[in-house]
Structure formats: C-alpha cells, structure tokens
Amino acid sequence: MIILRYIFLIFPVLLVAQTVDTLKDATSEGYVFFEGDSIPTIELNEVVILNKLNFGNREDRLRYLILRRKTLKVYPYAKLAADRLDSLNNRLAMMKRRSDRNRYTRMIQKYIEGEFSDELKKMTRTEGQILVKLIHRQTGETTFGLVKELRSGWRAFWYNTTASMFNISLKREFDPMNVQEDYLIEDILERSFRSGLLPRQDSALDFNFADLTEKWATKAK
C-alpha cells in the first residue's frame, strides 16, 4: 500500500515617546487609544517552534527517516479521505429523502473505491497501518467506524478480519500522547507543514503539539 504548533510568546511591542496619562482599550477595533494619539495594533500568526532533531544512535535516526518517508507517502490519501468525508456529510445534510441519501452514499463509495483501490494495493503493511492512524487523525473516526457507518456491520467485520491477517487493524487509533511512533508521525507532519512539503490539515483530535513535545522530551531524559 503508498501514502501524513506551538506556543511561542508573541509580543506586540509599542514604543511610545510621550507620557501616557489615560489608556482606553479599543483592541477590538484594531487600535489602542492613548490620550492625544492612537497606534494601530498588528495581529501576528501563531508561531511554531520545533526542537532540533536529536537521535541517540544511528538506528534511531534510520527508523525516523523510514517513518518520515512512509508518512509523506500516506498523508495525501488520509487528507483526501477526510475531504471526501466532509463533502459527503455536507451533501447528505441537505438531502431530506432517505432514498436520495442512500443513492448518493453508494455513488461516493464507488468513487472512493475507484480512486483508492489501485494505490492501496501497492502499500506495504506498515504504510497501510500509518494510513489507518492518519485517517483517525484527520476525521476523528477510526477506519473501522467509517466502514461500519457507510456499509453494513458485517462488511466492517470482514474488512477488519482481512486487514488483521496482514497485521493491520482498522480499529487502530492515532494516539501521539501515549504512543511514541504516533508522536513522531505528528512531528514529521508539523515539520512538513512548516516547510510547505505537505498542505496543512489540522487534526480532528484534541491534543496540543507543544504538550506532546514536552512530554516525550521529558521522558527521553
């Protein structure tokens, strides 16, 4: 099979070469008013500061590079799956008749199968498992849950059983807080987003990359 910030101190610095007697806050309008003067404020984007990569040995570095290569290959498919799911849900929300909803869902299923099937067959086991994790990252739902929602429970069970035969669990979740490999995947994504190598798509899951980095850095000591 082929296939995926945070907090830095931002200080708007205002240099005022006069005595300030009265300060009236009007930042909602984009200005800070001083008595007899006004200075426009500037909103800055959130800045992501990433630590320099350090590896304990050559094997750790090699594992990271292999994981990076696989993640970069898999991520576009996870992002595409999330985009398709979002479009599907938005379209279904506008349909009142169940027959129309079922017809449209079947059409999307066939489209996705045709779009993904050939590429999925080329993926390795590890790439397939990374894809399953990233689909959970992008959508907030496991691949098993999505299959079960769009198809019958029996088909979901069959898919999961088949995938398990190849050491791939469709129920696998993306858990960067507790699984080191998942944290490394998130690190790879953040660095790729910053460099423009991958288009950013924020995770549907609730975690903070700065907290993740602090935890794993502390654990490594």
Side-chain angles (χ1 to χ4, degrees):
M1 300 192 300
I2 303 180
I3 311 274
L4 285 248
R5 338 181 188 23
Y6 252 120
I7 296 177
F8 188 67
L9 296 179
I10 302 175
F11 293 104
V13 181
L14 304 178
L15 301 179
V16 183
Q18 65 180 45
T19 302
V20 179
D21 296 323
T22 305
L23 174 62
K24 298 179 180 179
D25 188 3
T27 54
S28 61
E29 297 297 326
Y31 288 84
V32 175
F33 290 98
F34 296 87
E35 185 175 327
D37 199 0
S38 64
I39 300 177
T41 62
I42 301 175
E43 286 193 19
L44 301 178
N45 293 328
E46 194 172 38
V47 178
V48 181
I49 303 299
L50 299 178
N51 295 332
K52 180 180 179 180
L53 289 174
N54 293 304
F55 301 98
N57 51 57
R58 182 177 179 276
E59 288 72 22
D60 288 345
R61 182 176 184 274
L62 182 60
R63 279 195 293 269
Y64 181 88
L65 292 177
I66 292 175
L67 183 63
R68 180 179 183 274
R69 176 175 58 81
K70 293 178 181 296
T71 299
L72 294 181
K73 291 167 63 177
V74 168
Y75 174 79
Y77 295 95
K79 182 179 182 302
L80 184 60
D83 291 339
R84 292 289 183 269
L85 180 64
D86 185 59
S87 298
L88 173 62
N89 289 335
N90 290 337
R91 187 67 178 271
L92 291 178
M94 297 185 294
M95 298 180 179
K96 296 182 178 180
R97 294 195 305 177
R98 184 173 181 177
S99 58
D100 291 338
R101 293 167 60 87
N102 291 338
R103 186 182 306 110
Y104 183 72
T105 300
R106 287 194 297 271
M107 182 181 72
I108 292 297
Q109 289 171 3
K110 291 181 180 179
Y111 176 75
I112 292 177
E113 289 172 0
E115 194 171 31
F116 283 97
S117 58
D118 290 341
E119 296 301 327
L120 293 179
K121 292 176 183 177
K122 301 175 185 178
M123 292 182 188
T124 65
R125 296 176 184 176
T126 54
E127 288 167 354
Q129 193 66 83
I130 292 172
L131 174 61
V132 167
K133 290 182 178 182
L134 288 183
I135 288 177
H136 181 239
R137 179 193 186 274
Q138 305 306 107
T139 67
E141 298 186 58
T142 65
T143 303
F144 180 86
L146 292 175
V147 172
K148 185 176 181 180
E149 179 180 342
L150 297 177
R151 295 178 178 271
S152 70
W154 167 248
R155 290 296 295 271
F157 172 80
W158 177 251
Y159 281 165
N160 191 63
T161 301
T162 304
S164 296
M165 293 172 61
F166 296 96
N167 297 322
I168 297 175
S169 172
L170 299 184
K171 295 180 180 181
R172 185 70 61 84
E173 297 182 351
F174 186 69
D175 185 12
M177 181 59 74
N178 299 301
V179 180
Q180 186 181 33
E181 180 180 273
D182 293 358
Y183 163 68
L184 293 176
I185 290 174
E186 188 63 28
D187 178 85
I188 291 167
L189 292 180
E190 287 295 338
R191 294 178 190 277
S192 300
F193 294 154
R194 280 176 57 86
S195 67
L197 191 59
L198 292 176
R200 177 178 290 278
Q201 187 179 65
D202 292 333
S203 174
L205 305 176
D206 183 20
F207 60 80
N208 183 289
F209 184 69
D211 294 339
L212 297 177
T213 301
E214 181 179 358
K215 173 185 174 177
W216 288 105
T218 302
K219 194 171 183 177
K221 293 180 181 179

